[in-house]
Amino acid sequence: FRAIKTPEEIKNLTVACDIASRAFEKIIKDIRPGVTEKYVAGQVSGVAHSYGSMVSFPTIFSQHGEIQHGYPSMNVLEEGRLALCDAGAETMNNYCSDNTRTMPVSGKFSQRQLEIYSIVEECHDHALDVAKPGVKWADVHFSVCRLLFDRMKELGLAKGDTEEAVKAGAHAMFLPHGLGHMMGMDVHDMENLDQINVGFDEEVRPNLEQFGTNCLRMGRRLQEGFVVTDEPGVYFIPALIDDWKASGHCAEFLNFDKIETYKDFGGIRIED
């Protein structure tokens, strides 16, 4: 079963990651006001092809980071906004990488952007500390969700008991997707077998009822040789804010008036 990668496969995956890293180094220099989203995304493809590779999926690049899969438009990059790039390379042996970086168009984060970025970065690093063979990936995911919710409380965006809030799914206001997925010969490895058969097993079953948690692609116990992405994010999605505020969903855990002031923020994701 392809879930456990051999040393040779790990080597191929590392090559794919190295190529993607070179692409990100290139676009960091290209991101500036006045350049189009399409232009920057095109540089990712150019770097991948120049190393005898190709992109592992159509590059996601957008100033609307709150749209998790926002593809590049002909809109120009604007001063003060954030640009999110989710991209990867695929080697000639068909092994894939998948990374995300979120960068300020002006070259420097605002204080508000830096606060949210630092939270996502802390969540990303926390997952690395918690994840190890024998640990359920679902437990890693929810550990990240609790940390994220605690930090949102510190900013005044959330309130109440963190454990109860995460049980109720209140964290999905900010993180409406899972922490990561298997990676290998597909960027979402073996996804044609269905995520229930890849990311879950008889011990750990998916929760398909709760918003956000139903997008967790991976929950099973980690094993040596698994390759899994680590991709926390924080998003401020205007339609979701409006919907939850109007219905009062999780109102005991969310400060909607403060959240309203972030409707123009976009989103931040870090993925490795």
Side-chain angles (χ1 to χ4, degrees):
F1 190 45
R2 279 169 41 195
I4 296 175
K5 305 302 188 290
T6 66
E8 292 79 12
E9 288 180 298
I10 298 291
K11 183 176 180 180
N12 269 274
L13 288 162
T14 302
V15 170
C17 291
D18 288 344
I19 295 170
S21 178
R22 294 186 184 105
F24 275 94
E25 288 171 0
K26 173 73 170 69
I27 68 167
I28 285 170
K29 298 174 184 176
D30 293 323
I31 292 174
R32 60 186 182 276
V35 174
T36 67
E37 293 177 356
K38 278 279 190 184
Y39 176 84
V40 178
Q43 304 311 299
V44 176
S45 297
V47 172
H49 284 288
S50 72
Y51 285 95
S53 177
M54 60 183 178
V55 292
S56 52
F57 57 95
T59 297
I60 295 162
F61 186 88
S62 177
Q63 295 174 98
H64 284 283
E66 75 277 10
I67 302 171
Q68 277 102 69
H69 292 147
Y71 291 113
S73 71
M74 287 302 293
N75 293 333
V76 298
L77 302 185
E78 299 174 10
E79 187 87 25
R81 297 188 68 176
L82 295 168
L84 185 152
C85 183
D86 188 337
E90 183 172 334
T91 69
M92 287 182 282
N93 292 326
N94 301 117
Y95 284 88
C96 299
S97 63
D98 185 6
N99 293 89
T100 306
R101 292 293 183 268
T102 309
M103 298 149 283
V105 172
S106 56
K108 186 177 181 180
F109 289 114
S110 69
Q111 181 59 36
R112 189 171 72 157
Q113 290 169 346
L114 183 60
E115 288 171 350
I116 300 298
Y117 186 92
S118 296
I119 291 170
V120 178
E121 185 177 43
E122 184 181 3
C123 289
H124 169 279
D125 293 350
H126 177 70
L128 295 179
D129 290 337
V130 175
K132 55 188 174 184
V135 173
K136 294 177 185 176
W137 186 250
D139 290 342
V140 180
H141 168 81
F142 285 113
S143 184
V144 165
C145 292
R146 288 190 292 270
L147 174 60
L148 184 150
F149 200 82
D150 281 340
R151 296 295 177 263
M152 289 298 169
K153 288 198 293 186
E154 292 171 4
L155 291 182
L157 293 162
K159 58 188 177 181
D161 181 79
T162 296
E163 286 291 337
E164 292 303 314
V166 172
K167 283 181 183 177
H171 63 281
M173 167 57 69
F174 312 109
L175 176 57
H177 62 73
L179 183 62
H181 53 80
M182 291 275 199
M183 193 175 73
M185 293 187 78
D186 286 313
V187 72
H188 293 159
D189 203 28
M190 302 171 285
E191 66 182 343
N192 57 320
L193 300 177
D194 197 316
Q195 68 180 24
I196 291 178
N197 300 317
V198 177
F200 297 90
D201 54 22
E202 291 303 316
E203 180 192 14
V204 185
R205 304 306 294 163
N207 179 344
L208 301 178
E209 304 301 321
Q210 187 182 71
F211 174 77
T213 306
N214 62 349
C215 293
L216 182 62
R217 294 175 179 269
M218 170 81 180
R220 63 190 291 192
R221 288 188 190 276
L222 299 172
Q223 297 180 46
E224 187 172 347
F226 280 14
V227 177
V228 184
T229 62
D230 168 15
E231 50 178 307
V234 170
Y235 314 89
F236 295 93
I237 305 168
L240 183 64
I241 295 168
D242 290 344
D243 182 54
W244 282 26
K245 184 177 181 180
S247 66
H249 182 64
C250 288
E252 65 271 39
F253 302 117
L254 299 168
N255 289 321
F256 285 110
D257 289 345
K258 184 71 178 284
I259 292 171
E260 283 272 348
T261 67
Y262 282 74
K263 272 186 171 180
D264 63 345
F265 184 92
I268 291 174
R269 180 166 67 255
I270 301 173
E271 177 183 16
D272 288 309

